[in-house]
Amino acid sequence: MLAYVVRRLLATIPIMALVAVFVFLLLHMSPGDPAVVIAGDFATAAQVEEIRTQLGLNDPLHVQFVKWTADLLRGDLGNSIYSGLPVSRLIGQRIEPTLMLTLTTMVIAITLAIPLGVIAAWKVGTWIDRAVMTVAVLGFSMPVFVLGYALILGGSVRLGWFPVQGYSSVFASVPGFLRHITLPALTLGLVYMALIARMTRATMLEVLNEDYVRTAYAKGLPTSKVLIKHALKNAMVPISTTIGLGLALLIGGVVVTESVFAIPGLGRLTVDAVLRTDYPVIQGVILVFSLTYVLLNLLIDLSYVLFDPRIRY
Amino acid sequence: MTRTKMGLRSLSGLATGLALAPVLAAGLMAQPAQAQDGSVLRIVPHADLRNIDPIWTTAYITRNHGYLVWDTLFALDENLTVQPQMAAGHEVSEDGLTYTIALREGLTFHDGSPVTAEDAVASLRRWGARDGMGQKLMSVTESMEAVDELSFTITLSEPYGLVLESLGKISSNVPFIMPARLAETSPSEQISEVIGSGPFRFVEAEWQPGNLVVYERFEDYVPRDEPASYAAGGKQANVDRVEWRYIPDAATATQALLAGEVDLYEQPAVDLLPMIEADPSITVETVDPLGTQGVVRFNFLHPPFDNKYARQAVMHAVSQTDYMFSIMGNPEYFEEFCGAYFMCGGPFETDVGSEALREQNLERARELLEQSGYDGREVVILDPTDVPVAHGQALVTAQALREIGMNVRLAAMDWATMTSRRASREAPDDGGWNIFPTWWLAVDQLNPITNISVAASGDTAWFGWPDNPRIEELRDAFARETDQDAQRAIVVELQEELYDFVPYIPTGQYYQPTAWRSNVSNVLVAPVPFFWNIEVD
């Protein structure tokens, strides 16, 4: 197991290197010149050149890449072209809202989706199954921003229960945090929930037809025990995979959700940086997202051991 | 069977309970949103503060930030007259070539150091290297020297009529006075610290680009005794703390204002205004009495708009009303027609020569297009779809051009890409362009020197690079002239030339409303959003 973990961790190095090369090239080959944006309307061509030189944008691409990589290996993600602030500080300011939004979303989505998927499979063909699947299809089809605005209208404007926007740190006030995070987490959670619920139902349907499930019923075990202990546990491997893959979806959704609810997280940092071609910030954020995604997938792979004793690393 | 039901119940109960726990807890703990503190002014600014140096960038948001933190030697009042601000006064030598400016006593920077003449000289040098009007002033400045701790001289090589107007320039780049150690930074580099002598202090530790900017009252600020008037007069900081909370989504920002989560929304989206206006606890007013000018700019380097008949054809083909409806929607917020290149309501307003723009005439437009020798080639209009003001103008222009038989391609892109592409001098097919839409605050367009879109100095002119020696002669004559009546006469002549040459099409004058809650009072009427004077209950 340890050897496997080490092997997988080592494999992240070439993956991250590839991500770094890809992101760097993609950004520098796409249109947009930050020096022109910074220089403004009154600047002469010479002034734009001066700014470009000062920012190092006139250096050949490979020189810029080597410099950026060397800084990266020293743990320095560089400074924002615009604000001049270290990218690590900008990311540091934004990690908590995004992390807490993602975690809360996952808690809401998983705790709703798995039981719903199990129930739908168990009651397959009945109105319960159809109702669960209708909710799942709706959830999967509804754009995040539409649901976000609908929840703002209902939860904030009409009922006045929740703030319209912003974020309150969990470390500053737990009630404040809960009030701010609920609507965004519900918004983002519905899509994620729909995905997991559908996968849970499909996998459970397969498992429920297995001989050992019939045997379990024959032994006289209660339905809840058969469903949870025997069937669900065996269905968890593909469900875990879906949870992991769905994280990519979640990261995309975070960008929109953070914009709708004005949450100062990494998603909004990414959008803002892309809109103004702030190369160091975009590169830094994408590296952080990629690393998180790779590590989470490793964790998901490791979790298979818990559900299937046949799997050994 | 009973056990089965219990199983189902416990399963769904567990799910519902776990999922709704945060929701229920939040509901129980929910409280109506309230202002945190009476002395905090919470503002949704029109943009995110990306840069902190108002000399390094021309961005309006950085200019507004600059006004909170720094002060100016002179400032424009509501009569568009330049008044002393940090300056105690000034003297001009008999030959009009030497200006001696004395600073007020007792002014200090936020780091506790006194404001000196050396600081003023260093700040003006940096500004003069960067700003268009500053560059013009520096081109006739022989020397600039500190005489003593609190006074300095500017010696000119020839008479210049806009010395005080330059030093009291109200919009980007504003000649803010910084400590000399910061002002000595290269104009192409950003300053490393935000230290000014203005009424508020920038709280760097709380700055979160893309989210929050915080300013605290500077206790040692010495306001003037006169009442506040535009950028001039006493800048009374009546709140302890100003917070800029950037909310990029207009619908969310509107709801935040309605819910009382913010106090003032600088530029609410026009289509959401009815929702705001319906709330009796919110005031919606146009605080900028001068407004904004829409601009459609031509590229003079490439056909067909290297020919003045083609540009005149477009002038005849378009209608300001169409443009204004595309930008503002509501006629309450725009002029029915404004033919003044230097703005209606400004000191140099005139409608001479504007007949072609006033009356849309497609027949005449087609004749002019034919006269220009237009060969049916594709015309590339840059279309920044993420900025409604620019996007609307691009669409209206495209439609008008198609109606007179031009072959139009709308190149959709985001604003940042457009700002890069408009700097390209390549042919439109090779990544260049023919037309791009933009806008300028009226306060930037009030005279032939600050209105850089009329400059026609070829290679060194603004994007589009028009070349017209007569226009440049008239602009120089305007700058040298010290008598305002004579300046007006020059503007009349200049505008006639502009309508013949068509450096750009003024697509109309519109007014952006601002909204604030009833706990906010004393909002200053001014073309720049100033946050002194304001009180919050």
Side-chain angles (χ1 to χ4, degrees):
Chain A
M1 174 99 165
L2 187 66
Y4 174 77
V5 173
V6 171
R7 221 169 39 243
R8 284 287 298 270
L9 285 176
L10 286 175
T12 59
I13 296 172
I15 293 172
M16 292 312 295
L18 274 174
V19 169
V21 174
F22 185 71
V23 168
F24 184 88
L25 289 178
L26 195 70
L27 282 179
H28 284 77
M29 287 189 304
S30 56
D33 181 353
V36 174
V37 180
I38 289 164
D41 288 323
F42 304 100
T44 60
Q47 284 172 328
V48 174
E49 269 311 293
E50 212 176 317
I51 289 174
R52 207 176 276 134
T53 306
Q54 192 247 325
L55 293 174
L57 299 173
N58 272 339
D59 296 338
L61 211 54
H62 68 275
V63 173
Q64 290 185 50
F65 182 70
V66 168
K67 189 182 171 305
W68 177 62
T69 315
D71 289 345
L72 200 61
L73 291 174
R74 285 199 303 271
D76 179 3
L77 291 170
N79 289 358
S80 159
I81 287 177
Y82 291 86
S83 66
L85 295 177
V87 174
S88 51
R89 172 178 158 179
L90 294 174
I91 292 175
Q93 285 176 340
R94 307 299 189 103
I95 272 188
E96 191 209 315
T98 301
L99 191 68
M100 295 313 291
L101 174 60
T102 314
L103 284 177
T104 318
T105 301
M106 285 176 77
V107 168
I108 290 179
I110 294 172
T111 49
L112 267 178
I114 293 180
L116 285 175
V118 170
I119 293 165
W122 177 46
K123 294 288 179 188
V124 65
T126 66
W127 68 269
I128 297 175
D129 177 29
R130 281 193 291 274
V132 170
M133 282 306 100
T134 305
V135 171
V137 170
L138 270 179
F140 202 73
S141 316
M142 192 179 294
V144 170
F145 65 90
V146 172
L147 184 62
Y149 288 134
L151 287 178
I152 287 177
L153 186 68
S156 305
V157 181
R158 295 275 156 80
L159 297 172
W161 287 0
F162 304 102
V164 172
Q165 50 81 45
Y167 176 76
S168 171
S169 171
V170 69
F171 302 111
S173 148
V174 174
F177 164 75
L178 287 174
R179 286 203 300 124
H180 280 87
I181 209 72
T182 302
L183 293 188
L186 281 177
T187 304
L188 193 54
L190 192 64
V191 182
Y192 199 48
M193 185 207 78
L195 182 76
I196 300 168
R198 289 177 62 184
M199 179 49 81
T200 305
R201 177 184 176 272
T203 319
M204 282 292 288
L205 279 178
E206 266 180 49
V207 174
L208 286 175
N209 284 324
E210 296 286 341
D211 291 343
Y212 63 84
V213 172
R214 200 175 310 119
T215 309
Y217 274 123
K219 280 199 298 184
L221 288 177
T223 305
S224 58
K225 207 165 184 178
V226 175
L227 286 176
I228 296 170
K229 200 171 171 190
H230 292 263
L232 182 60
K233 194 174 175 190
N234 282 292
M236 275 310 284
V237 170
I239 295 172
S240 307
T241 311
T242 309
I243 291 173
L245 292 175
L247 274 172
L249 191 76
L250 208 58
I251 288 170
V254 158
V255 173
V256 181
T257 311
E258 287 182 355
S259 294
V260 169
F261 289 94
I263 296 172
L266 288 173
R268 257 184 63 199
L269 181 66
T270 315
V271 175
D272 291 346
V274 168
L275 287 176
R276 57 178 98 138
T277 52
D278 196 342
Y279 297 137
V281 177
I282 305 172
Q283 288 160 182
V285 175
I286 292 183
L287 280 182
V288 168
F289 273 138
S290 308
L291 187 63
T292 311
Y293 191 62
V294 168
L295 292 180
L296 276 172
N297 270 300
L298 173 60
L299 283 179
I300 295 286
D301 286 353
L302 293 179
S303 75
Y304 295 164
V305 177
L306 298 174
F307 306 123
D308 190 342
R310 289 169 303 181
I311 296 175
R312 286 281 175 270
Y313 294 116
Chain B
M1 194 65 189
T2 311
R3 281 200 302 196
T4 305
K5 277 183 184 166
M6 283 301 288
L8 173 62
R9 210 174 291 150
S10 59
L11 201 63
S12 54
L14 175 75
T16 315
L18 280 173
L20 294 183
V23 184
L24 293 173
L28 289 172
M29 285 172 286
Q31 294 155 5
Q34 287 174 353
Q36 299 170 353
D37 190 314
S39 59
V40 180
L41 175 63
R42 300 160 306 170
I43 294 163
V44 181
H46 73 271
D48 175 31
L49 181 72
R50 303 164 183 180
N51 328 111
I52 49 167
D53 185 347
I55 305 302
W56 193 61
T57 178
T58 54
Y60 286 146
I61 191 70
T62 309
R63 174 204 62 189
N64 300 352
H65 148 85
Y67 269 112
L68 283 159
V69 176
W70 288 282
D71 212 345
T72 54
L73 293 171
F74 293 87
L76 208 62
D77 71 8
E78 61 195 24
N79 300 314
L80 301 177
T81 309
V82 178
Q83 301 291 351
Q85 182 53 233
M86 292 170 82
H90 76 284
E91 286 174 10
V92 187
S93 63
E94 274 186 24
D95 59 6
L97 292 179
T98 304
Y99 283 70
T100 305
I101 296 164
L103 295 172
R104 282 194 285 146
E105 286 181 17
L107 302 180
T108 54
F109 286 113
H110 301 159
D111 61 359
S113 59
V115 178
T116 66
E118 289 288 353
D119 298 315
V121 168
S123 299
L124 292 182
R125 284 209 177 102
R126 184 164 187 260
W127 164 77
R130 189 85 175 154
D131 176 66
M133 202 164 176
Q135 287 165 357
K136 201 102 183 160
L137 176 64
M138 291 305 139
S139 71
V140 294
T141 297
E142 208 167 74
S143 67
M144 203 158 41
E145 307 286 347
V147 177
D148 54 38
E149 192 79 352
L150 288 180
S151 62
F152 68 100
T153 56
I154 299 175
T155 308
L156 306 176
S157 54
E158 57 182 271
Y160 188 67
L162 300 173
V163 175
L164 296 185
E165 284 74 5
S166 303
L167 301 181
K169 189 182 176 210
I170 194 170
S171 193
S172 304
N173 301 91
V174 179
F176 291 119
I177 302 306
M178 302 179 173
R181 66 186 171 87
L182 296 180
E184 276 153 12
T185 309
S186 158
S188 61
E189 276 177 49
Q190 238 188 130
I191 51 171
S192 54
E193 274 179 277
V194 182
I195 301 289
S197 64
F200 290 91
R201 185 173 76 70
F202 177 67
V203 186
E204 202 270 346
E206 292 192 50
W207 180 31
Q208 288 181 31
N211 182 41
L212 181 69
V213 191
V214 176
Y215 305 89
E216 284 176 353
R217 181 183 13 220
F218 177 43
E219 300 294 347
D220 293 335
Y221 180 71
V222 187
R224 295 190 71 89
D225 295 331
E226 303 90 339
S229 169
Y230 276 17
K235 299 176 177 178
Q236 303 289 349
N238 291 331
V239 292
D240 294 329
R241 191 175 156 98
V242 175
E243 291 181 1
W244 284 4
R245 298 177 175 199
Y246 178 56
I247 303 178
D249 185 85
T252 308
T254 301
Q255 296 299 350
L257 180 74
L258 293 172
E261 291 172 26
V262 294
D263 304 308
L264 186 147
Y265 186 4
E266 191 192 328
Q267 291 188 1
V270 181
D271 51 346
L272 296 172
L273 273 179
M275 207 190 294
I276 299 176
E277 285 165 338
D279 187 331
S281 63
I282 296 176
T283 304
V284 179
E285 267 180 33
T286 300
V287 292
D288 174 4
L290 298 171
T292 304
Q293 185 181 58
V295 167
V296 163
R297 177 67 157 185
F298 297 107
N299 187 340
F300 288 70
L301 300 185
H302 302 286
F305 300 120
D306 58 344
N307 183 301
K308 79 171 180 181
Y309 295 118
R311 300 191 298 271
Q312 287 176 357
V314 179
M315 176 85 84
H316 280 275
V318 299
S319 145
Q320 280 199 346
T321 313
D322 291 348
Y323 281 118
M324 290 299 99
F325 268 107
S326 79
I327 294 174
M328 295 306 284
N330 185 346
E332 204 180 311
Y333 297 115
F334 60 80
E335 297 285 345
E336 197 179 326
F337 177 77
C338 176
Y341 264 95
F342 304 107
M343 307 309 299
C344 295
F348 301 106
E349 175 185 354
T350 168
D351 63 355
V352 64
S354 64
E355 298 76 16
L357 186 59
R358 185 185 291 273
E359 295 297 330
Q360 187 180 28
N361 186 339
L362 296 179
E363 207 44 54
R364 177 72 186 132
R366 289 187 193 104
E367 281 169 25
L368 283 163
L369 193 60
E370 198 179 331
Q371 201 175 339
S372 76
Y374 175 62
D375 56 4
R377 73 176 61 214
E378 192 174 65
V379 168
V380 176
I381 299 178
L382 304 186
D383 179 11
T385 51
D386 57 335
V387 178
V389 171
H391 178 51
Q393 292 187 91
L395 296 180
V396 171
T397 307
Q399 183 58 29
L401 264 55
R402 284 182 183 127
E403 282 184 29
I404 60 170
M406 295 190 94
N407 177 13
V408 178
R409 176 157 63 90
L410 274 168
M413 59 192 65
D414 59 38
W415 177 260
T417 306
M418 197 210 79
T419 55
S420 300
R421 187 157 168 187
R422 71 181 180 180
S424 167
R425 298 180 190 223
E426 298 296 325
D429 285 344
D430 294 329
W433 55 278
N434 291 111
I435 284 178
F436 77 85
T438 186
W439 72 96
W440 286 98
L441 285 188
V443 77
D444 287 314
Q445 306 290 80
L446 289 176
N447 70 55
I449 305 303
T450 54
N451 182 337
I452 59 162
S453 328
V454 300
S457 51
D459 274 357
T460 57
W462 192 51
F463 312 106
W465 311 281
D467 192 353
N468 182 320
R470 179 67 188 140
I471 288 177
E472 286 306 286
E473 265 173 41
L474 289 166
R475 290 181 71 227
D476 282 344
F478 176 90
R480 277 195 301 274
E481 187 54 68
T482 51
D483 176 67
Q484 208 177 44
D485 288 335
Q487 283 181 326
R488 278 198 199 95
I490 293 171
V491 165
V492 168
E493 201 179 334
L494 175 61
Q495 183 158 304
E496 275 184 292
E497 182 66 29
L498 290 172
Y499 268 107
D500 181 63
F501 182 66
V502 199
Y504 70 94
I505 294 178
T507 61
Q509 186 164 340
Y510 62 92
Y511 303 91
Q512 171 64 50
T514 296
W516 59 87
R517 296 191 59 81
S518 53
N519 61 324
V520 175
S521 56
N522 291 345
V523 177
L524 272 177
V525 170
V528 171
F530 297 127
F531 301 114
W532 49 84
N533 216 46
I534 294 183
E535 291 182 26
V536 177
D537 295 333

